[in-house]
């Protein structure tokens, strides 16, 4: 069962959907979210927070470590914000916040080929996706780095 986890940033201007891989972590693990605007005023603690391209996620590390120990049988000192995010235990639903909305416009032209030239559609959508991931890597999105 997958839960729909959404969190508003501290300034309330952004609503982000999160993925909790295998439901190992609970939604309470995500304490705070800071968009690039409200992150300017955030006091960053690298022990509890992860910065992904100016978006900051604050985790309840005590809870995260407890859940990781009890469900994954890993030592608590192996659980840090990078582990939680990079392993997918509490991470963006998308590659970055707002990706689904952004790619709708980008794919619109290519999608028209689906009904007229399926081979060209497959070629162009593949090239577009590879180029998009490379762009995301260049601008520093953490999930894109692993793609």
């Amino acid at each position: 069962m997958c839960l729909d986890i959404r969190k508003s940033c501290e300034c309330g201007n952004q609503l982000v959907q999160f993925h909790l891989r295998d439901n190992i972590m609970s939604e309470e693990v995500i304490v705070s979210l800071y968009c690039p605007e409200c992150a300017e005023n955030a006091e960053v603690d690298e022990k509890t927070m992860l910065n992904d391209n100016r978006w900051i996620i604050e985790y309840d590390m005590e809870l995260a470590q407890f859940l990781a120990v009890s469900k994954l049988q890993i030592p608590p000192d192996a659980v840090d914000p990078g582990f939680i995010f990079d392993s997918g235990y509490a991470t963006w639903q998308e590659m970055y916040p707002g990706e689904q909305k952004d790619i709708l416009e980008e794919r619109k032209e290519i999608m028209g080929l689906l009904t007229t030239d399926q081979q060209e559609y497959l070629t162009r959508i593949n090239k577009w996706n590879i180029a998009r991931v490379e762009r995301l890597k260049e601008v520093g999105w953490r999930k894109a780095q692993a793609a």
Side-chain angles (χ1 to χ4, degrees):
M1 176 176 80
C2 289
L3 300 173
D4 183 22
I5 308 300
R6 294 175 192 257
K7 185 96 175 151
S8 290
C9 66
E10 290 298 302
C11 69
N13 289 330
Q14 302 290 331
L15 181 65
V16 175
Q17 189 172 5
F18 283 86
H19 172 74
L20 303 179
R21 176 181 157 203
D22 301 328
N23 295 320
I24 300 295
M25 301 291 162
S26 64
E27 66 181 287
E28 293 81 18
V29 165
I30 304 167
V31 175
S32 300
L33 173 68
Y34 300 86
C35 72
E37 287 181 35
C38 55
E40 292 176 7
N41 300 320
E43 196 171 310
V44 179
D45 178 357
E46 291 181 4
K47 292 178 185 172
T48 62
M49 299 170 137
L50 179 123
N51 184 335
D52 185 22
N53 215 7
R54 297 181 28 228
W55 283 80
I56 299 172
I57 305 169
E58 180 181 9
Y59 295 107
D60 179 335
M61 293 309 301
E62 208 171 288
L63 177 58
Q65 289 170 341
F66 169 78
L67 292 170
V69 168
S70 62
K71 294 182 178 183
L72 298 171
Q73 287 79 47
I74 60 173
D77 60 337
V79 181
D80 61 18
F83 171 81
I84 297 167
F85 186 91
D86 296 336
S87 299
Y89 292 118
T91 188
W92 314 127
Q93 176 70 33
E94 309 159 293
M95 285 276 213
Y96 64 91
E99 179 188 27
Q100 286 181 347
K101 186 172 60 173
D102 292 348
I103 64 175
L104 285 177
E105 193 60 38
E106 288 182 33
R107 288 189 326 190
K108 193 181 247 182
E109 179 187 330
I110 299 170
M111 295 302 288
L113 292 170
L114 189 56
T115 56
T116 59
D117 187 346
Q118 289 185 350
Q119 187 60 43
E120 181 63 17
Y121 163 79
L122 290 173
T123 301
R124 297 222 0 231
I125 199 79
N126 189 40
K127 286 182 182 177
W128 168 80
N129 195 44
I130 291 168
R132 181 180 65 83
V133 171
E134 287 304 313
R135 277 194 324 267
L136 296 177
K137 284 180 181 181
E138 287 174 14
V139 297
W141 289 107
R142 199 169 172 117
K143 281 181 79 172
Q145 304 304 320

